[in-house]
Amino acid sequence: MKQIKLIILLFLFCSCKKFLDRPPLDQIGTDSYWQTAKDLENYVIQFYPTFPSHSLWQFGIGYSIRNADNAMEGTPNAILNGERGTTAGRWTSEWSNIRGVNIFLDNYQKCKDNFDVYKHFLGEAYFFRAWYYFGLVEKYGDVPWVSTELLPTSKEELSRPRDPRTLVVDSILADLNHAIEVLSPRSKYGNNRINKEAALAFKTRVALYEGSWQKYHAGSVFGTPGADPNKYFKACTDAAEELMSGNYQVGIYNDYYKLFGLDNMSSANEVLLYRAYNIKDGLSNDVQYSTTFAPFEIGITWSLVSSYLGKNGEPYDYLTLASTTKGNAFLTKISQDVDPRLHATVWAPGDVVSVSKGQVFGKPGVDQVSSMLNPTGFQLKKCSNPNSPGAGATGGGNSETGYILFRYGEVLLNYAEALYELKGDVAYNALNQLRARVGMPDFVVHPQSSDPNVVDYGYPISNELYDIRRERRVELALEGFREDDYKRWAAHKLFKGKRPKGYPFDQSEFPSYHPLLDANGLIDYFQNFLPDGYQFKENRDYLSSIPAEELNLNPNLTQNPGWQ
C-alpha cells in the first residue's frame, strides 16, 4: 500500500490536486499503515483542502455573504425568500469526511511511536470531526452521531434515527476538548495549520451558537426539550477566558482594513487559522477581482450600513442625511462621519483601488449589468488590497488573499455575547479592544429609543444585548457570520416582509439610468420582484430538508419541520 505523500502544508491547505498517492479511505484501515507518527500526519493532512476557501470569478469572495441581510444579489435570495424546494438524492457525500476521520480515530493507537510525537495529529483529527459535524448541525439540526467507521455491513448503525442536536453538540465540544488537550500551540506550527488557539476559538463559536439557538428557539419546533442554554454560554466564556488570559499567541491587528486583504497572514496575531494561496504554484483566487474590479451583482444593504455608529460613538441619522445628500456625496460624507470600519467595508469616491495601475474608485456600478452590476450603490471594499498584484485586474486567479477561518476579534465578540447571556455582564474590556483598533470611543450602551436606525428582532431584548449584537454585526460584517447569527437568534423579523435597500440615488450622476426608489429616495431594487418583501418561512427555513432518498432508505429518519 502506498503512503500518502507529505507535501508543503501550503499546498495541502489550498488544493486537492497533489493527493495523487493517497490510498482510498476504504482501503487504508489495515495494520500495515498505522505504524509511525508520519503515517498519522500524512493521513490527517488530507482533510485541510476541505476547509472553505476563496475561489475564482464570481465566487472570488469565499465568505458566505449571500444568504443574509447584510448584502444582496441581483435576484432575490432563495433562503431569505422561502423559495427552496426539498432536497432530492442522498447526503452520503456530507458524511464521507466524518467516516475518514473515524477511520483515523479507530486506528491511531496502532502507532508504535511515542504518544507525544503524534498527539498533535490526533488533535487535528478531533478538530476536523468537530468541524464536519458542526456543519451538519447548522444545516440539519438533529443528526445521527457516529464515532466509528461504518461499513456496508453495519446495518443497525446505518438505520439509526437522528440524535438530538444537543447530544451531537455535546459530542462536538468533547472532541474539541480532546483537541485542545493535545494540540500544539500556534507558536510551533504557525496559523496555517490547526493549533490550540484555533481549537479554543472554535469551541467559543460552537458553544455560543448552540446556547443562543436553544434560548431563542425554546418552545418552538426547532428547540430541544430540556436543553440548558446556560451550559453552552458557560462553555463559550470558559474557552474564551482561557484564550484571553493564557499563554497564547493572540492579539488585535493594528489595521482593520488591511487585515482582510493580506496575502501572507502568518505574522498577524489576530489570525488564529487561515488558508493561504500562492500564484506561482497555481494556487490563487479572485478576491481582488471581486472587490476592485467586478462586484458580480453583490451590493451591501442599507440595513448594514445604517448599523454603524458615528465617530463620536452615538447613533447616526442616515435618513436625515439622505434627504439632502445623495449618491457620491452621501458615500463621501458617511465615510468621513461614521465608524471607520464602514469605510473599510464600503468604497467611497477617491479611494485608491490599485496602486500599480493608478486607479481610484469613481462611482458604484448601479447602472451596469451582469458582473459589473452593484445593485445598491454600497460596493464591497472589505478584503481589497490596493497593493496586491491582482488589484484592478481581471479574473482568472490573480490574487493570493488569505481566507481567515478564525480570528481573535471573533472570540472577543463571542465572549461578550455569551457573558451577557449568562450573567448579564457587559465585557467592556473585550469590546473596547475592537473599538480602540479603529479609534472609536469606548463601548457604551444606548437606549434603543434613541437610535433612528433601530432594528426589530421580533422580540424585546435589553439595550445591552442590542448594542453587543450591533458591535458584532459591524466588526464581522461580510465575513460569513450573519446567516448563522440570525438563525441562532430566531431573528427572521430582521428581514421578513422587508426589501433590501440601497443608497440615496443621485440622478445627475446617472442621467440615463432610472432605478426604482422608495419614498426616501433609496434604491429599491426589488420593488417589483418582492412587493411584500422577503417571504422567509419561519416554521421551516431555519433548517434544510433531509434528502428524500435518505428518508426512503432509512424509515427511522424523520424530516425536518415544515418540509414534510
Side-chain angles (χ1 to χ4, degrees):
M1 179 182 293
K2 297 179 180 179
Q3 284 193 346
I4 306 168
K5 285 186 176 179
L6 178 60
I7 61 176
I8 298 175
L9 186 60
L10 170 64
F11 300 169
L12 295 175
F13 219 166
C14 305
S15 175
C16 296
K17 67 183 180 180
K18 297 289 186 179
F19 292 105
L20 302 179
D21 292 338
R22 176 175 60 81
L25 293 180
D26 58 0
Q27 298 177 22
I28 201 169
T30 65
D31 292 339
S32 63
Y33 181 79
W34 310 92
Q35 301 299 302
T36 68
K38 185 64 68 176
D39 289 340
L40 302 187
E41 180 177 25
N42 288 348
Y43 185 91
V44 78
I45 58 178
Q46 70 182 293
F47 299 109
Y48 275 87
T50 66
F51 275 129
S53 68
H54 297 309
S55 190
L56 302 177
W57 301 102
Q58 69 266 36
F59 303 110
I61 295 288
Y63 303 125
S64 178
I65 63 176
R66 293 168 168 81
N67 299 328
D69 59 341
N70 282 349
M72 59 167 282
E73 290 185 281
T75 55
N77 181 270
I79 296 176
L80 300 184
N81 203 34
E83 294 178 329
R84 291 182 296 168
T86 55
T87 305
R90 304 193 62 185
W91 61 8
T92 309
S93 62
E94 297 181 87
W95 293 87
S96 61
N97 287 318
I98 291 175
R99 178 172 180 264
V101 177
N102 283 341
I103 289 173
F104 177 99
L105 295 173
D106 286 346
N107 289 278
Y108 79 90
Q109 290 179 316
K110 297 173 183 175
C111 181
K112 296 178 181 178
D113 288 337
N114 186 279
F115 179 72
D116 286 340
V117 178
Y118 67 78
K119 66 180 183 179
H120 179 85
F121 316 133
L122 175 61
E124 288 175 301
Y126 277 122
F127 185 103
F128 276 117
R129 187 166 69 179
W131 179 270
Y132 299 133
Y133 257 112
F134 185 52
L136 291 177
V137 169
E138 289 177 299
K139 186 173 183 180
Y140 297 116
D142 299 348
V143 291
W145 173 261
V146 180
S147 59
T148 189
E149 178 190 5
L150 291 186
L151 300 172
T153 56
S154 309
K155 293 184 179 180
E156 184 175 346
E157 286 294 309
L158 289 169
S159 60
R160 285 179 51 198
R162 300 158 70 187
D163 289 309
R165 59 181 294 143
T166 47
L167 182 151
V168 180
V169 172
D170 289 348
S171 301
I172 291 170
L173 294 175
D175 273 359
L176 288 173
N177 286 338
H178 289 313
I180 292 164
E181 183 179 355
V182 296
L183 282 168
S184 299
R186 172 183 173 178
S187 58
K188 180 173 182 179
Y189 283 104
N191 60 352
N192 199 224
R193 188 160 183 170
I194 293 168
N195 52 67
K196 193 183 294 286
E197 288 93 329
L200 283 163
F202 190 18
K203 184 177 178 181
T204 71
R205 183 185 295 180
V206 173
L208 176 64
Y209 187 93
E210 192 61 16
S212 47
W213 181 282
Q214 295 298 346
K215 177 175 179 176
Y216 293 102
H217 287 283
S220 78
V221 293
F222 300 110
T224 304
D228 178 10
N230 285 344
K231 177 178 75 172
Y232 300 107
F233 292 137
K234 187 174 189 308
C236 176
T237 58
D238 286 349
E241 287 171 355
E242 167 65 19
L243 193 56
M244 292 159 63
S245 60
N247 185 25
Y248 298 108
Q249 188 177 342
V250 298
I252 295 297
Y253 191 72
N254 62 3
D255 191 311
Y256 180 83
Y257 170 61
K258 289 182 179 179
L259 173 63
F260 305 99
L262 292 172
D263 292 350
N264 184 350
M265 298 177 170
S266 61
S267 63
N269 282 349
E270 182 168 356
V271 180
L272 307 181
L273 183 65
Y274 85 106
R275 187 166 185 161
Y277 299 83
N278 188 305
I279 291 176
K280 292 181 180 178
D281 294 300
L283 308 171
S284 60
N285 58 58
D286 276 336
V287 171
Q288 297 310 312
Y289 177 51
S290 299
T291 54
T292 66
F293 191 95
F296 279 103
E297 301 187 3
I298 295 292
I300 295 171
T301 62
W302 176 271
S303 173
L304 171 59
V305 169
S306 60
S307 295
Y308 291 77
L309 298 171
K311 282 185 177 178
N312 61 359
E314 297 299 316
Y316 189 86
D317 194 343
Y318 290 86
L319 271 181
T320 296
L321 176 66
S323 67
T324 59
T325 308
K326 302 181 183 299
N328 272 7
F330 182 86
L331 294 174
T332 298
K333 181 65 172 170
I334 62 173
S335 73
Q336 297 168 346
D337 285 359
V338 307
D339 187 328
R341 286 173 290 190
L342 176 66
H343 193 200
T345 303
V346 178
W347 287 108
D351 286 350
V352 177
V353 171
S354 171
V355 172
S356 64
K357 295 178 174 59
Q359 296 175 353
V360 298
F361 186 78
K363 60 183 179 181
V366 296
D367 61 338
Q368 300 298 302
V369 296
S370 189
S371 64
M372 302 306 292
L373 170 65
N374 165 238
T376 66
F378 299 121
Q379 197 153 315
L380 177 62
K381 178 182 180 181
K382 194 171 186 176
C383 298
S384 66
N385 180 351
N387 293 297
S388 167
T394 57
N398 293 308
S399 305
E400 298 177 338
T401 311
Y403 185 107
I404 299 174
L405 290 156
F406 292 94
R407 69 178 178 97
Y408 188 57
E410 180 206 345
V411 173
L412 297 178
L413 291 161
N414 293 347
Y415 176 70
E417 185 178 340
L419 182 69
Y420 185 80
E421 293 282 16
L422 182 65
K423 297 182 177 181
D425 295 339
V426 177
Y428 288 103
N429 181 62
L431 296 169
N432 287 338
Q433 291 180 56
L434 302 174
R435 290 288 188 91
R437 184 219 320 252
V438 294
M440 283 288 287
D442 284 351
F443 181 89
V444 296
V445 177
H446 303 92
Q448 294 166 61
S449 59
S450 71
D451 190 346
N453 317 295
V454 68
V455 298
D456 177 16
Y457 287 99
Y459 48 83
I461 61 173
S462 68
N463 293 326
E464 290 83 358
L465 186 57
Y466 184 92
D467 270 325
I468 288 169
R469 288 185 179 184
R470 186 215 306 269
E471 193 72 19
R472 180 180 183 87
R473 186 180 195 182
V474 165
E475 174 70 24
L476 299 179
L478 304 164
E479 295 176 48
F481 292 95
R482 187 65 172 176
E483 180 182 3
D484 283 351
D485 286 348
Y486 84 73
K487 286 183 176 179
R488 64 187 177 86
W489 292 334
H492 59 274
K493 285 292 185 67
L494 287 169
F495 54 84
K496 184 172 182 178
K498 304 179 178 71
R499 292 189 297 272
K501 304 293 180 65
Y503 77 162
F505 181 72
D506 185 346
Q507 187 68 64
S508 68
E509 294 173 352
F510 303 91
S512 301
Y513 180 60
H514 303 279
L516 295 169
L517 306 177
D518 74 359
N520 294 304
L522 307 181
I523 291 181
D524 193 357
Y525 195 81
F526 289 154
Q527 191 175 107
N528 292 335
F529 287 107
L530 301 174
D532 299 315
Y534 284 129
Q535 295 300 299
F536 184 88
K537 295 179 174 60
E538 63 268 26
N539 294 318
R540 186 195 76 174
D541 288 331
Y542 281 113
L543 295 173
S544 296
S545 66
I546 304 296
E549 192 172 343
E550 294 296 338
L551 297 172
N552 293 331
L553 291 170
N554 181 1
N556 291 318
L557 289 178
T558 55
Q559 184 56 279
N560 269 328
W563 294 103
Q564 294 87 345

